[in-house]
Amino acid sequence: DIVMTQSPDSLAVSLGETATINCKSSQTILFNSNNKNYLGWYQQKPGQPPKLLIYWASTRESGVPDRFSGSGSGTDFTLTISSLQAEDVAVYYCQQYHTFPRNTFGQGTKLEIK
Amino acid sequence: QLQLQESGPGLVKPSETLSLTCTVSGGSISSSPYYWGWIRQPPGKGLEWIGTIYYTGTTFYNPSLKSRVTISVDTSKNEFSLKLTSVTAADTAVYYCARPLSDGHINWGQGTLVTVSS
């Protein structure tokens, strides 16, 4: 199975600043046939199931603020949260679905306010 | 609107079998090309994919749990189930049933906490 590794495990960022979370896959999750990276980003707040923010590595889900953006290709990906707001405090997970329906998640990154 | 609801015991004794059911409403479990799955999250820890089933009964399991997991589907009741045998405290978690899609979207149940304790 593909192993997803996130970094850092936790970070603290000041309000209004930019948070950057990285995700690395143990093998490529880019399908050459359609040039799509099978990578999603989820946000989870306490007591709730995760919420999809980004899919296809860079496509923002409907209703997600544009301060959330995803980038990367192949094995290395980044979630960037600009102009950090208090409501962005959460745990963030990357998920690969290249091996759908045997998906795997990263270990999570806890984002706090400095 | 699709809804998924987990049900089952909240407390299971060590070495026994954990059994959960997910009832699907607002859509047919037999609809192609949908898969149905289970994901768990130990308290304070990350998400772990347990396994996935197609309505025909084809299953895909996490290799780390494969020897203990069975996922089945009952199309007549529009539900699917999880059985995890020989549980230990390490299996204490919130268990989510889910419908994953091939574009990365996942429809989630609200989750149910299962505690393994004597």
Side-chain angles (χ1 to χ4, degrees):
Chain A
D1 278 5
I2 297 177
V3 177
M4 307 300 290
T5 304
Q6 292 180 227
S7 62
D9 290 333
S10 64
L11 77 162
V13 177
S14 301
L15 290 173
E17 298 298 309
T18 297
T20 302
I21 299 170
N22 301 300
C23 177
K24 188 175 184 66
S25 57
S26 60
Q27 61 192 73
T28 185
I29 53 176
L30 169 66
F31 263 122
N32 290 326
S33 59
N34 59 10
N35 200 37
K36 287 187 174 182
N37 289 281
Y38 283 57
L39 189 282
W41 288 99
Y42 279 83
Q43 175 193 66
Q44 188 180 32
K45 296 183 178 180
Q48 299 178 17
K51 170 191 172 185
L52 182 66
L53 300 174
I54 303 284
Y55 58 105
W56 301 132
S58 61
T59 301
R60 198 176 302 112
E61 176 71 335
S62 175
V64 172
D66 61 7
R67 63 177 184 274
F68 290 90
S69 63
S71 62
S73 185
T75 61
D76 293 279
F77 301 90
T78 300
L79 174 69
T80 302
I81 310 170
S82 58
S83 302
L84 191 73
Q85 307 292 305
E87 61 262 32
D88 299 334
V89 169
V91 180
Y92 293 84
Y93 295 91
C94 60
Q95 180 217 186
Q96 69 80 20
Y97 44 99
H98 185 272
T99 54
F100 176 85
R102 277 199 297 260
N103 303 10
T104 51
F105 292 97
Q107 82 275 18
T109 295
K110 185 175 184 179
L111 175 59
E112 299 175 312
I113 303 296
K114 186 186 294 182
Chain B
Q1 183 180 353
L2 186 77
Q3 291 189 314
L4 300 95
Q5 180 65 56
E6 306 88 351
S7 60
L11 181 65
V12 180
K13 290 181 167 56
S15 80
E16 295 191 346
T17 297
L18 179 158
S19 296
L20 294 173
T21 297
C22 182
T23 301
V24 178
S25 58
S28 172
I29 205 168
S30 302
S31 297
S32 175
Y34 296 126
Y35 291 80
W36 308 90
W38 291 94
I39 299 164
R40 71 178 183 178
Q41 184 171 36
K45 296 188 178 181
L47 301 161
E48 182 179 33
W49 200 283
I50 300 172
T52 314
I53 189 165
Y54 194 52
Y55 77 95
T56 57
T58 301
T59 52
F60 306 84
Y61 296 137
N62 183 327
S64 69
L65 297 169
K66 186 175 183 178
S67 63
R68 298 194 292 131
V69 171
T70 302
I71 297 175
S72 58
V73 63
D74 187 334
T75 55
S76 67
K77 295 182 178 179
N78 219 41
E79 61 186 34
F80 61 104
S81 299
L82 168 70
K83 290 190 185 302
L84 182 65
T85 62
S86 305
V87 297
T88 69
D91 295 310
T92 293
V94 173
Y95 285 76
Y96 294 99
C97 62
R99 186 188 71 175
L101 301 179
S102 59
D103 63 0
H105 287 73
I106 299 175
N107 296 102
W108 300 79
Q110 278 303 303
T112 186
L113 174 63
V114 179
T115 301
V116 178
S117 175
S118 55

